[in-house]
Amino acid sequence: MARKSHIDYSAVDKDYLKHRKLQSGAAGWILLAGLGVAYVISGDFSGWNLGLAVGGWGGLLIAFVLMGIMYTCMVFGLAEMSSTLPTAGAGYGFARRALGPLGGFATGMAVLIEYAVAPAAIATFIGGYIEALGLFGLTNSWPVYLATYVVFIGIHLWGVGEALKIMFGITAIAVVALAITVVGLAPHFDAAKLFDIVPDGSAGSSAFLPFGIPGVLAALVFGIWFFLAVEGVPLAAEETEDPKRDMPRGIIVAMMILLVFGALMLILVPGTAGAAAMGESDSPLPEALRAVHGEGSLIADIVNYAGLAGLVASFFSIVYAYSRQLFALSRAGYLPRFLSVTSSRHTPWVALVVPGTLGFILAAATGNGGLLINIAVFGATLSYVLLNLSHIMLRIKEPNLERGYRTPGGVVTTGIALVLAVVALVATFVLDHVAAGITAAVFLVAIAYFWFYSRHHLVASAPEEEFALLEDSERTLK
């Protein structure tokens, strides 16, 4: 048994990795870009608009710009790290090499919390959407939650290539709906409607910032919803044709698409139907279209149904993300190893089914999408702090490491993202103490499991551990 940096590696049989193998070459950069958009696109249809009710249009605009800068800078850092260390562990793998075993596990768990809980939140939104549309005569959404998990986990079990292509098709429908929304709203834009919320007298309040400076901080979380989960693209590294080339292209193109559509929704939706009304809407895009085209508008109905496709696309893709993060942590021994077993089609079936079962229970037991999404956001912002720190530390510790792509601006770029990530983490805690407390409790239990058990039972042959051990050996020889 080898010992390194207060961790122990235990022996595994020669077939260990044979039963934990993903399907390589399943995705090129176009599918990766589609995956990145799919992760996030539901946020363009709903959720972001609630920031209007706490920050006004000006507050949400500032939040969008700040979080857009944070995500863009972080994406450039992720493009570099994913082209340099292309493993299914992604965030865990990057932090494992940069920050050591504890830092790697902490990052992986923060990502896993985000991705395991977000589908449960989206399932509640899908259920509410179907009820609102009067489909199937449902008055209780738990059958929708169950069907959603069973159907889309089933497609993932079928095979990653098939799943990514179906995901791409669903995402394309949602993107077309966003384009239709732009065409339908643009001729009716009225800038005055952006500022129809009456200032409440808070410090710094005005027509632009009706809730003052505190409103800007409250809106930061909703600014995140425009981009939440795009960082999951590197989780597909081991299933990519050429990760050094395709990873940077895929994630950067996805981010540019999300910036454009997010900005258009932020401007056109409240700019046609009013910021006050849209701040309270469950389906802002179709409501904005009905406000200018009438209640019986065909274009609004099309976007209404396509909004369901957007929710499905995000649910479908984030299921993919949680399975790959759990697979990588389990394969390396940080979590129980049985969770990383793959099927004959090279899909991590246990890592798909176990979190899916827990997610369904969460959705059915709480039915509270708002609480669940805030838990996911808190996990996400914590991972952003650690991911940006990982890029900075890798640049400092290993400046000569061969990189397939180099971040423009280097550590200055990810340094900006790091500062904004810390601000977002604090804002998330202030917004919802309950969600932050639940997330922190789960996170601490996981860290205790690592400290008292799993760090003594790691697998040296796992790719992320091999990358880290190689760096340790090279440093020792110098």
Side-chain angles (χ1 to χ4, degrees):
M1 184 180 293
R3 184 172 180 85
K4 188 75 177 176
S5 302
H6 309 294
I7 61 173
D8 297 310
Y9 290 107
S10 55
V12 293
D13 64 62
K14 60 184 177 60
D15 292 329
Y16 180 80
L17 291 181
K18 181 180 177 181
H19 297 298
R20 290 163 174 81
K21 184 178 180 181
L22 299 174
Q23 182 181 336
S24 61
W29 76 266
I30 294 177
L31 277 181
L32 291 175
L35 176 62
V37 174
Y39 282 140
V40 187
I41 198 164
S42 65
D44 282 327
F45 285 91
S46 62
W48 65 268
N49 57 298
L50 302 179
L52 296 166
V54 297
W57 188 78
L60 186 55
L61 173 65
I62 294 171
F64 175 84
V65 171
L66 290 177
M67 294 300 96
I69 292 171
M70 181 193 78
Y71 274 93
T72 302
C73 290
M74 181 173 70
V75 158
F76 282 128
L78 290 172
E80 176 180 311
M81 291 190 290
S82 61
S83 70
T84 307
L85 305 169
T87 66
Y92 136 62
F94 310 151
R96 169 64 183 90
R97 181 142 177 173
L99 307 175
L102 178 58
F105 178 70
T107 304
M109 279 307 305
V111 172
L112 186 57
I113 290 169
E114 172 192 357
Y115 287 148
V117 175
I122 296 170
T124 68
F125 300 149
I126 291 173
Y129 213 99
I130 287 177
E131 278 192 55
L133 289 171
L135 299 177
F136 313 119
L138 291 173
T139 56
N140 189 304
S141 291
W142 78 261
V144 177
Y145 308 158
L146 180 60
T148 301
Y149 272 101
V150 169
V151 169
F152 295 114
I153 287 177
I155 295 173
H156 279 295
L157 292 173
W158 180 23
V160 64
E162 294 81 0
L164 287 175
K165 288 169 186 174
I166 292 172
M167 191 188 309
F168 191 87
I170 298 171
T171 304
I173 294 171
V175 168
V176 169
L178 292 179
I180 291 172
T181 301
V182 171
V183 172
L185 294 181
H188 305 277
F189 175 74
D190 180 358
K193 293 185 177 180
L194 299 172
F195 310 109
D196 65 354
I197 298 176
V198 178
D200 70 349
S202 300
S205 65
S206 62
F208 181 71
L209 294 175
F211 305 106
I213 303 302
V216 176
L217 293 175
L220 281 177
V221 173
F222 300 97
I224 289 172
W225 284 14
F226 282 106
F227 313 106
L228 181 69
V230 69
E231 72 279 2
V233 173
L235 289 163
E238 289 184 31
E239 295 158 289
T240 300
E241 293 175 6
D242 183 354
K244 286 191 175 183
R245 179 197 66 187
D246 294 338
M247 272 295 160
R249 287 185 185 180
I251 194 170
I252 292 170
V253 168
M255 188 65 206
M256 296 304 107
I257 292 171
L258 294 168
L259 282 168
V260 170
F261 275 119
L264 288 170
M265 294 306 105
L266 176 59
I267 294 169
L268 292 176
V269 172
T272 50
M278 292 298 94
E280 300 175 353
S281 174
D282 291 328
S283 51
L285 275 60
E287 282 193 24
L289 288 165
R290 291 190 182 102
V292 296
H293 292 284
E295 283 299 317
S297 166
L298 175 62
I299 190 174
D301 289 341
I302 291 172
V303 172
N304 208 355
Y305 281 94
L308 187 56
L311 290 170
V312 168
S314 290
F315 179 92
F316 196 18
S317 56
I318 297 174
V319 165
Y320 171 87
Y322 77 56
S323 68
R324 271 52 182 182
Q325 186 66 90
L326 180 55
F327 163 82
L329 287 169
S330 171
R331 179 177 61 180
Y334 288 90
L335 292 175
R337 295 177 189 173
F338 77 91
L339 293 168
S340 58
V341 173
T342 53
S343 69
S344 60
R345 298 182 66 86
H346 302 301
T347 57
W349 68 273
V350 185
L352 282 163
V353 172
V354 171
T357 303
L358 295 175
F360 165 70
I361 293 170
L362 275 176
T366 68
N368 188 341
L371 173 64
L372 294 173
I373 204 68
N374 283 343
I375 292 172
V377 169
F378 190 82
T381 53
L382 178 58
S383 74
Y384 299 162
V385 171
L386 295 169
L387 286 171
N388 287 300
L389 182 60
S390 295
H391 178 266
I392 293 168
M393 292 304 297
L394 276 175
R395 278 293 188 96
I396 294 172
K397 289 171 59 179
E398 301 184 68
N400 298 320
L401 180 65
E402 183 181 348
R403 292 165 165 87
Y405 171 87
R406 297 186 72 87
T407 302
V411 298
V412 173
T413 298
T414 43
I416 292 169
L418 175 61
V419 171
L420 291 172
V422 171
V423 172
L425 179 64
V426 173
T428 305
F429 179 82
V430 171
L431 177 72
D432 192 336
H433 295 291
V434 174
I438 292 171
T439 310
V442 173
F443 189 75
L444 289 174
V445 169
I447 294 298
Y449 175 81
F450 166 79
W451 190 256
F452 292 108
Y453 180 79
S454 68
R455 72 188 178 104
H456 303 300
H457 300 82
L458 300 184
V459 179
S461 57
E464 296 83 4
E465 294 303 303
E466 283 191 327
F467 274 127
L469 290 172
L470 178 62
E471 187 270 335
D472 286 341
S473 298
E474 290 174 347
R475 190 172 60 243
T476 301
L477 292 172
K478 291 179 181 179

